[in-house]
Amino acid sequence: MVIGAIEAGGTKFVCGLGNEDGVISERISIPTTTPEETMAEVVSFFKDKGIEALGVGSFGPVDLEQLSATYGFITSTPKPHWAQFDLVGELKKYFDVPIGFDTDVNAAALGESLWGAAAGLDSCLYMTVGTGIGVGALVEGKLIHGLTHPEMGHIMVRRHGDDTYAGRCPYHGDCLEGLAAGPAIEERWGKKGIELKESPEVWEMEAHYLAQAIANYILILSPKKVIVGGGVMKQDQLFPLVRGKVKEILGGYVQSGQILEDIDEYIVPPGLGDNAGLAGALGLVKSL
Amino acid sequence: MVIGAIEAGGTKFVCGLGNEDGVISERISIPTTTPEETMAEVVSFFKDKGIEALGVGSFGPVDLEQLSATYGFITSTPKPHWAQFDLVGELKKYFDVPIGFDTDVNAAALGESLWGAAAGLDSCLYMTVGTGIGVGALVEGKLIHGLTHPEMGHIMVRRHGDDTYAGRCPYHGDCLEGLAAGPAIEERWGKKGIELKESPEVWEMEAHYLAQAIANYILILSPKKVIVGGGVMKQDQLFPLVRGKVKEILGGYVQSGQILEDIDEYIVPPGLGDNAGLAGALGLVKSL
C-alpha cells in the first residue's frame, strides 16, 4: 500500500511516501509560509504518486473531534496565516483517499510505539523540546484525546532558584515551554543553546525544568517509555542530567525497576530519530 | 446479577451488594485494622450472599499487571500490616467468582463515567482530597494504567508565596499531597479544616494548590469532566475559588467552551456523592 505522510510543522512541512510497515521511501521538506504557497507544493508532491491513504500529523492546536464543523482545522494558532485553516479539507479537495489526522506529537508517539523506542508497548510518551515543547502520548494502546487534545508543553513548573528570566509563553509567561524551549534558552542566556554547550549552569537549569515536567507526566500517565527528542535534546549532556533529576524528584515513590534501576533505558531519545513524526503519520492510517 | 463491591480504603473497607446498573442494595463499613481482622469481616459479609462477581477498588499502590506474580497485591504502602498483602488472592480463597480489581480512584472515575457526573462521556478525571490526594482517570474509554498506575496526587506544584509550611509527604515533602491534603491543612494552620471555614486565607491557599494540579491534569489528559470529591471539598467555598484559579492559570489557552464559559459544569462534585467508589467497584466487573 502506498501511503502519503505529512508532518505539518510551524517551520516546515515534511512530506513522504511510505507503507504500512513504517518504511519511508521518499521525503521532501517544504517551508511553512502561507497556506496557499505551502499547500500548493504539498499537493504537487503527492499528485501522480498513486497514494491510497494519507496520514497527517500537524502542529496545533487542531480540531480532532470528528463530528465538529471544524474537524481537521488548525484552530487558534498564533502563527500568521494559519489560524482556522482547514488542513484536512484542503487535502480532500485533491486526494480522494482516507485521511488520518492527529497532532504532530501524537503521531510521533504512535510512530515510536509501532516501530521505534517503544515498539511492542501499548503506552509511551513522546516529548519534543525545540522551538516549542510538544508532547504526545499513547495510553492503553490509544492516543490521548478528550475535551481537546493534550497541551502538555504548557504545564506550570516550579521555578529554579537562580532563574530570574520572565519566560516567554504568550499565554502563560513562565510555563514549561515559556521557560525551557529553545527560544527561552537563547533569550535567557543571550546565546543559542548550541553555543552554550560548555556552560553547565545552562543545562543544569534546563534539566531542572524538563525533569519536573517528565516526573509529572510519569505520575499522571505512567507511560511505559519516555521518549525525548527535538533540537534542544541534541545536547547529549542533557539526558543524564534529566534522568538523575527525575529519580531525585520521584524519591523512590514509583516502585518500578525501570525507574529505580534502568532509567537509562526508560528515558530515551527517539528510536526513529528525526523520522518519528513522519513514520507516525504513516501509522495514523492504520486505524482508519 | 448479584455483584459484590469493595471500596478498600486505608481507614475503612466499604462493602456492598449491587447490580450491573450501579444500584447498591446494601452496604456496610468495616474498619481497616489488620488484614486478618478486616478480611475476616469482609468475608463474613459476602458469605451466603450468592455473589456472582466481585469488584474491588483499593488504596494503593497496588499491582495491576495481570501477568505479575504479585497481581492483586497491595504493594509498598506505608500503612502498617498491609504492605505486600495479597488482597485479590485472599478473596479468591473464599469466592470462586470473577474478580475485577483496580485502584480506588480509578474505580470512582469509572463509576462517575457510568452513572455519575460524567455519564455518557468516554473521558473524565476523579480527584479526592481528604487524608490523602488520589486521582483516577478514564481516557478514550479506558482507565489509565501503564508502567504502574498513576499517582497524580504526588505531582510537584509551585509553592504559594505566603506558605512557609514544609509539607508532610514522606516521599516528596512538599508535593501536592504533602501541601494540600487534609492533614497538611491541619498541621499548617494548627486546626482542622472544618474549624477554619471562616479563614479565607486557608482556602485561597488550598485553591492555589488544587487549581494548579487540576490545570496540569487538564493540559496533560484533556478530560471531558473534572470531578472533585473527598472530605476537604465539603468546604463549599472551595469550588468557585478552584474554578476561578484554573481559568486564570490556563489563560485562555485551552479553547474549549467548557472551560471558557461553562466551568461551573466542568469542574464539579461527584454525581454519585460518597458512593462513587463503591458503585465504581461494581463497574469494574463489567469489563471482566
Side-chain angles (χ1 to χ4, degrees):
Chain A
M1 188 173 179
V2 183
I3 306 172
I6 303 175
E7 186 184 7
T11 309
K12 59 183 192 288
F13 273 49
V14 181
C15 299
L17 292 178
N19 66 16
E20 59 272 42
D21 298 321
V23 178
I24 296 164
S25 53
E26 194 181 334
R27 58 182 279 166
I28 60 159
S29 180
I30 296 165
T32 310
T33 57
T34 63
E36 293 69 31
E37 280 181 7
T38 303
M39 294 308 292
E41 289 198 56
V42 168
V43 169
S44 154
F45 171 74
F46 286 114
K47 219 170 55 174
D48 310 323
K49 294 284 198 303
I51 56 171
E52 294 159 86
L54 191 52
V56 184
S58 176
F59 72 103
V62 290
D63 186 346
L64 301 174
E65 191 61 58
Q66 302 258 5
L67 298 176
S68 160
T70 54
Y71 170 77
F73 281 51
I74 295 170
T75 58
S76 57
T77 176
K79 187 164 175 66
H81 314 299
W82 290 84
Q84 305 307 325
F85 175 65
D86 181 6
L87 178 54
V88 171
E90 183 66 14
L91 291 165
K92 271 191 193 298
K93 282 190 203 163
Y94 299 94
F95 304 103
D96 183 21
V97 298
I99 299 181
F101 183 58
D102 212 315
T103 62
D104 46 2
V105 282
N106 260 352
L110 179 63
E112 288 289 325
S113 79
L114 290 170
W115 306 296
L121 302 179
D122 64 356
S123 151
C124 73
L125 185 103
Y126 176 90
M127 179 178 197
T128 176
V129 187
T131 50
I133 295 183
V135 191
L138 187 85
V139 170
E140 296 273 348
K142 297 196 166 196
L143 296 172
I144 300 186
H145 317 96
L147 186 65
T148 61
H149 51 77
E151 286 285 358
M152 306 190 206
H154 291 265
I155 64 169
M156 198 185 272
V157 284
R158 196 177 287 187
R159 295 189 65 108
H160 189 287
D162 297 335
D163 191 9
T164 56
Y165 175 60
R168 52 175 286 134
C169 172
Y171 290 92
H172 313 111
D174 60 356
C175 68
L176 176 69
E177 177 171 295
L179 289 171
I185 298 175
E186 184 175 350
E187 194 168 80
R188 178 191 291 113
W189 302 98
K191 284 183 191 173
K192 284 185 188 300
I194 205 162
E195 300 163 44
L196 291 161
K197 193 162 178 93
E198 307 306 326
S199 305
E201 67 278 18
V202 171
W203 309 108
E204 191 276 325
M205 188 179 285
E206 182 70 7
H208 167 90
Y209 291 123
L210 298 181
Q212 263 191 76
I214 291 170
N216 280 357
Y217 303 150
I218 291 171
L219 290 164
I220 293 173
L221 292 167
S222 203
K224 292 183 182 172
K225 191 74 82 174
V226 174
I227 300 157
V228 196
V232 171
M233 298 308 294
K234 309 261 177 188
Q235 300 284 330
D236 297 333
Q237 68 276 28
L238 261 176
F239 271 98
L241 288 172
V242 167
R243 290 178 186 127
K245 283 179 193 283
V246 166
K247 275 181 88 156
E248 196 182 307
I249 292 167
L250 293 177
Y253 186 68
V254 179
Q255 301 219 342
S256 160
Q258 280 170 83
I259 292 172
L260 300 177
E261 293 146 33
D262 298 322
I263 199 162
D264 291 357
E265 303 299 313
Y266 179 61
I267 301 178
V268 297
L272 301 172
D274 294 335
N275 272 334
L278 197 62
L282 292 173
L284 291 175
V285 166
K286 288 173 97 81
S287 59
L288 291 177
Chain B
M1 187 173 179
V2 183
I3 306 173
I6 303 175
E7 186 184 9
T11 309
K12 60 183 193 288
F13 273 48
V14 181
C15 299
L17 292 178
N19 65 17
E20 60 272 40
D21 298 321
V23 178
I24 296 164
S25 53
E26 195 180 332
R27 58 182 281 166
I28 60 158
S29 181
I30 297 164
T32 310
T33 57
T34 64
E36 294 68 34
E37 280 182 8
T38 303
M39 294 308 292
E41 289 197 57
V42 168
V43 168
S44 154
F45 171 75
F46 286 114
K47 218 171 53 175
D48 310 323
K49 294 283 199 304
I51 55 170
E52 295 159 83
L54 189 52
V56 184
S58 176
F59 71 103
V62 289
D63 186 345
L64 301 173
E65 191 60 59
Q66 302 258 5
L67 298 176
S68 160
T70 53
Y71 170 78
F73 280 52
I74 294 171
T75 58
S76 57
T77 176
K79 187 163 176 69
H81 313 300
W82 289 84
Q84 305 308 326
F85 176 65
D86 182 5
L87 178 54
V88 170
E90 183 66 15
L91 291 166
K92 272 191 190 298
K93 282 189 203 163
Y94 299 94
F95 304 103
D96 182 21
V97 298
I99 299 181
F101 183 58
D102 212 315
T103 62
D104 47 1
V105 280
N106 260 352
L110 179 64
E112 287 290 325
S113 79
L114 290 170
W115 307 296
L121 302 178
D122 63 356
S123 152
C124 72
L125 186 105
Y126 176 90
M127 179 179 196
T128 175
V129 187
T131 50
I133 296 183
V135 190
L138 188 84
V139 170
E140 297 272 348
K142 296 195 165 196
L143 295 172
I144 300 187
H145 318 96
L147 188 65
T148 61
H149 52 75
E151 286 284 359
M152 305 190 209
H154 291 265
I155 65 169
M156 197 185 273
V157 285
R158 197 176 285 188
R159 294 188 65 109
H160 190 288
D162 297 336
D163 191 10
T164 55
Y165 176 60
R168 52 174 288 132
C169 172
Y171 289 91
H172 312 112
D174 60 356
C175 68
L176 175 69
E177 177 171 296
L179 290 171
I185 298 175
E186 183 174 351
E187 194 169 78
R188 178 190 291 112
W189 302 99
K191 284 182 190 176
K192 283 184 189 300
I194 206 162
E195 300 163 43
L196 291 162
K197 194 164 179 90
E198 307 305 327
S199 305
E201 67 278 17
V202 171
W203 308 108
E204 191 276 324
M205 188 178 287
E206 182 70 6
H208 167 89
Y209 291 123
L210 298 181
Q212 263 191 78
I214 291 170
N216 280 357
Y217 303 150
I218 291 171
L219 289 165
I220 292 172
L221 292 167
S222 204
K224 293 183 181 171
K225 193 73 83 174
V226 174
I227 300 158
V228 196
V232 171
M233 298 308 295
K234 309 260 177 190
Q235 299 285 329
D236 298 332
Q237 68 276 28
L238 260 177
F239 270 99
L241 288 172
V242 167
R243 291 179 186 125
K245 283 178 193 285
V246 166
K247 275 181 87 156
E248 196 181 306
I249 292 167
L250 293 178
Y253 186 69
V254 180
Q255 301 218 340
S256 160
Q258 281 170 83
I259 292 171
L260 301 176
E261 293 147 34
D262 298 322
I263 199 162
D264 291 359
E265 304 299 314
Y266 179 63
I267 301 177
V268 297
L272 300 172
D274 294 335
N275 272 334
L278 197 62
L282 293 173
L284 290 175
V285 166
K286 287 174 96 82
S287 59
L288 292 176

